[in-house]
Amino acid sequence: MHPETQLIHVGRNTASAIHAINPPLVRTSTTVFSTLDEYKQAQRGIVFDGPRYGRSGTATTFELQRAMAELSGTETAIATSSGLAAITAVLSAHAGPGHRILVSAGIYGPTRAFCEEELVRAGTVIEYFSSSAELSALLCDDTSIVFVETPASLTMEMFDLVAISSAAHARGVPVACDSTWGTPVFLDAHALGVDISIHAATKFINGHSDLLLGLITGTYDALGRVRAHCDRNGTHAAPDVCWLTLRGVRTLAVRMQRHQTSALTVARWLEAHPAVRRVLFPALEADPGHKLWKSQFSGAAGPFTIELPPCSEATFARFIDHFALFGLGTSWGGFESLVMPAVPHHLRAIDGASDAPRLVRLHIGLENAEDLIEDLDSALSVLLYASGESGSHPTSDD
């Protein structure tokens, strides 16, 4: 079945009981049982997989988890309060003294901060790799998991999931992947060998910029340690958030196609702009990761990065502040276009050096691509003026 069809029909089992198209929203802190035997059976069941206690989920949570597992071509899913909560749960479940975690270079800033400020302090060894060849050299007997994000956050380097999974599995090591950028529509992570796939459903899967949610998918075996960790730590997702995400899921394929079409249109225009040095976007033919992207992804999402010439902090601020349609914000994956200085998480509040190239991340939303190009052209004219390539200073109305 095609993903477009799956997205419409998954996660609707409980709807039939009330003769509705959409499943009901079930809120409760306490699950009640008719008999003691029924209660005991629930306690013996798999946590987060059936009614037990409100923290373990409600019918609404289970609908979303079943839907996500089916869309991902795997057995089960766990919902968490945010994408970062999903990431830290997976990492923590495989961490501790005597454990070594191998992490791909260029990962999401808060993921790296968690590794270095929490896991290392707790006795975990963290090592970084930039390619599958580097990974193979680092794998050893105490490696507990390989964690990869592809494309890399901000810098957009591609990682070969097939080669990484093959090398890790040869040593009996599981692979976890932050698959947020591709979503199950554009990236079939489990088919490429990934054992645990993680999504910040806050972004594309929900798509409406009105909630925080994380989703973890995999087989029951692959998620065993993660499930136990989430249970011990009180990890859960609110049913309201799960219900809203089920609503967003219905249009995921349509939205992803629109994000891709507009992102490619804008990126190709930026490639030719005199104020843009490079466009870091693996869907572009000139990108060094294009061949790998084409072999492992079926489409491209909205976020990508551009490299601009060096400029003063004041000029850079004028450029950022000049946007009318692009909002300044750290997220992506919603309907609205966003712009953000593409600097490491721990350096976001620090002024950039005037002699260093400027990296800017764009998220191309669902607006008309030509309107976004016009907005970008107006903002980029600030940089052209500063470099003396434009004859007049742009005004706030340009």
Side-chain angles (χ1 to χ4, degrees), residues 181-194:
W181 190 84
T183 80
V185 174
F186 287 160
L187 175 63
D188 191 349
H190 294 297
L192 297 176
V194 169

Side-chain angles (χ1 to χ4, degrees), residues 322 324 374 378 394-398:
H322 200 76
E374 185 177 334
S378 179
T395 69
S396 59
D397 296 327
D398 284 348

Side-chain angles (χ1 to χ4, degrees), residues 130-145:
S130 298
S131 67
S132 54
E134 281 189 19
L135 170 72
S136 296
L138 291 172
L139 285 164
C140 57
D141 291 343
D142 59 357
T143 303
S144 57
I145 195 167

Side-chain angles (χ1 to χ4, degrees), residues 77-303:
I78 302 170
T80 66
S81 59
S82 69
L84 184 58
I87 291 167
T88 59
V90 171
L91 290 170
S92 297
H94 294 83
H99 291 78
R100 183 182 305 269
I101 297 178
L102 304 183
V103 180
S104 63
I107 54 168
Y108 177 51
T111 303
R112 182 163 188 145
F114 179 77
C115 287
E116 296 178 353
E117 296 174 23
E118 300 296 333
L119 297 187
V120 170
R121 187 185 305 163
T124 310
V125 175
I126 303 293
E127 292 184 313
Y128 297 94
F129 63 92
S130 298
S131 67
S132 54
E134 281 189 19
L135 170 72
S136 296
L138 291 172
L139 285 164
C140 57
D141 291 343
D142 59 357
T143 303
S144 57
I145 195 167
V146 173
F147 186 96
V148 60
E149 179 181 358
T150 186
S153 181
L154 303 182
T155 53
M156 304 300 292
E157 291 102 344
M158 291 294 302
F159 287 88
D160 189 338
L161 293 179
V162 173
I164 287 169
S165 298
S166 177
H169 293 163
R171 297 294 299 265
V173 177
V175 176
C177 178
D178 183 337
S179 306
T180 303
W181 190 84
T183 80
V185 174
F186 287 160
L187 175 63
D188 191 349
H190 294 297
L192 297 176
V194 169
D195 302 287
I196 301 172
S197 184
I198 304 164
H199 296 267
T202 303
K203 297 179 169 67
F204 287 123
I205 291 173
N206 171 60
H208 291 77
S209 302
D210 55 4
L211 58 81
L212 296 172
L213 181 71
L215 290 165
I216 310 167
T217 65
T219 63
Y220 282 102
D221 184 58
L223 295 191
R225 293 170 67 170
V226 178
R227 191 181 300 274
H229 174 86
C230 290
D231 187 26
R232 290 191 300 267
N233 286 269
T235 300
H236 80 291
D240 298 66
V241 170
C242 294
W243 188 87
L244 286 169
T245 302
L246 278 168
R247 181 197 62 178
V249 157
R250 308 305 172 198
T251 59
L252 177 60
V254 178
R255 288 186 285 104
M256 292 304 290
Q257 290 297 335
R258 175 59 179 265
H259 284 299
Q260 174 178 237
T261 299
S262 294
L264 283 168
T265 298
V266 172
R268 286 174 176 144
W269 176 84
L270 285 165
E271 280 186 302
H273 196 283
V276 177
R277 285 186 168 185
R278 283 192 303 158
V279 180
L280 287 66
F281 190 29
L284 294 175
E285 292 78 2
D287 190 276
H290 179 72
K291 184 177 180 181
L292 187 54
W293 166 79
K294 197 168 184 180
S295 70
Q296 300 194 353
F297 286 74
S298 61

